[in-house]
Amino acid sequence: MRRKLNSYLVIDGYNIINAWDDLKEISKYSLEDSREKLIHYMIDYSEFTGKKAIIVFDAYNIKNSKEKIEKRKHITIIYTKEYQTADSYIEKFISTLSKYDEVKVATNDYAEQQIVLGKGASRISARELKLDLEAAKEKIRERTSSQYKKIQRNFLEDRLDKETLSKLENIRRNR
């Protein structure tokens, strides 16, 4: 059996924003800020998991909008053109990939999930993505914490009893 070539996580951006309480709350005041927060979450997730993350934001109702592709650290952000939904972009995108690529699509849209499954990709709900993201963050914290412990100070004074320390201090002061 052949090995998978690439591992992709394709995210229906606005669908996820509307499904996660923290992002939904931010979007009430600033859609741009909620997009940026999702993007930063996915950069961390992608960096940790090694999956190529593609976030698709549709511009279906935005007059004269052209497709825009933005590359950032570990991820690609797509803003679709006018009259193109994120769903249609995602369907077209996964059709261009190799059958050996591992593709997961994150969306709560049931119809989109069925189409994605029919094209050979797997689906992940917004809730499952949130749980995966939280698990990855926890592993990052654990890794960072263990690395920090390794570089913590290692001084002789931390390992000596008070009496010995006092004698050494007296010697240091030439008493």
Side-chain angles (χ1 to χ4, degrees):
M1 190 174 130
R2 287 190 63 178
R3 226 175 111 212
K4 299 283 182 194
L5 297 176
N6 292 301
S7 184
Y8 293 96
L9 173 62
V10 184
I11 300 143
D12 184 337
Y14 291 129
N15 188 279
I16 299 301
I17 286 172
N18 287 312
W20 291 0
D21 292 338
D22 61 329
L23 297 180
K24 191 174 187 175
E25 191 61 33
I26 294 168
S27 74
K28 290 177 184 175
Y29 306 100
S30 172
L31 197 53
E32 185 177 339
D33 288 348
S34 64
R35 280 193 306 257
E36 282 302 313
K37 186 95 165 166
L38 176 61
I39 289 165
H40 286 286
Y41 284 157
M42 290 303 108
I43 287 172
D44 291 345
Y45 180 81
S46 188
E47 184 173 23
F48 181 75
T49 64
K51 290 183 187 294
K52 296 178 182 183
I54 296 121
I55 305 174
V56 182
F57 294 108
D58 60 38
Y60 186 80
N61 290 322
I62 299 173
K63 295 277 182 227
N64 302 319
S65 65
K66 308 240 183 294
E67 182 179 295
K68 181 180 162 200
I69 298 172
E70 185 181 326
K71 300 260 186 198
R72 293 216 202 159
K73 187 178 178 185
H74 305 291
I75 69 168
T76 302
I77 303 137
I78 311 289
Y79 298 91
T80 67
K81 61 187 174 192
E82 183 181 15
Y83 302 121
Q84 184 178 30
T85 63
D87 295 355
S88 66
Y89 184 92
I90 291 168
E91 291 165 31
K92 188 173 109 185
F93 175 75
I94 60 180
S95 295
T96 66
L97 299 174
S98 163
K99 68 179 181 177
Y100 299 108
D101 290 331
E102 177 187 278
V103 183
K104 280 188 177 180
V105 178
T107 183
N108 270 355
D109 182 327
Y110 181 77
E112 179 65 10
Q113 289 176 353
Q114 298 312 303
I115 292 166
V116 161
L117 291 171
K119 294 197 176 280
S122 59
R123 60 120 193 122
I124 181 171
S125 70
R127 182 179 175 280
E128 291 169 309
L129 179 60
K130 184 82 163 175
L131 291 172
D132 283 357
L133 177 66
E134 288 169 1
K137 282 182 178 178
E138 183 57 35
K139 287 179 182 167
I140 291 167
R141 273 193 291 273
E142 287 171 9
R143 186 182 291 167
T144 305
S145 175
S146 70
Q147 288 172 346
Y148 174 74
K149 287 176 185 172
K150 287 178 188 173
I151 59 169
Q152 276 184 324
R153 61 184 230 157
N154 186 13
F155 295 115
L156 181 62
E157 67 188 46
D158 295 335
R159 296 182 303 215
L160 295 176
D161 62 271
K162 288 182 181 178
E163 184 183 338
T164 307
L165 238 120
S166 177
K167 288 178 181 176
L168 287 172
E169 183 62 22
N170 287 334
I171 292 170
R172 186 183 73 82
R173 292 182 182 193
N174 292 322
R175 289 187 184 170

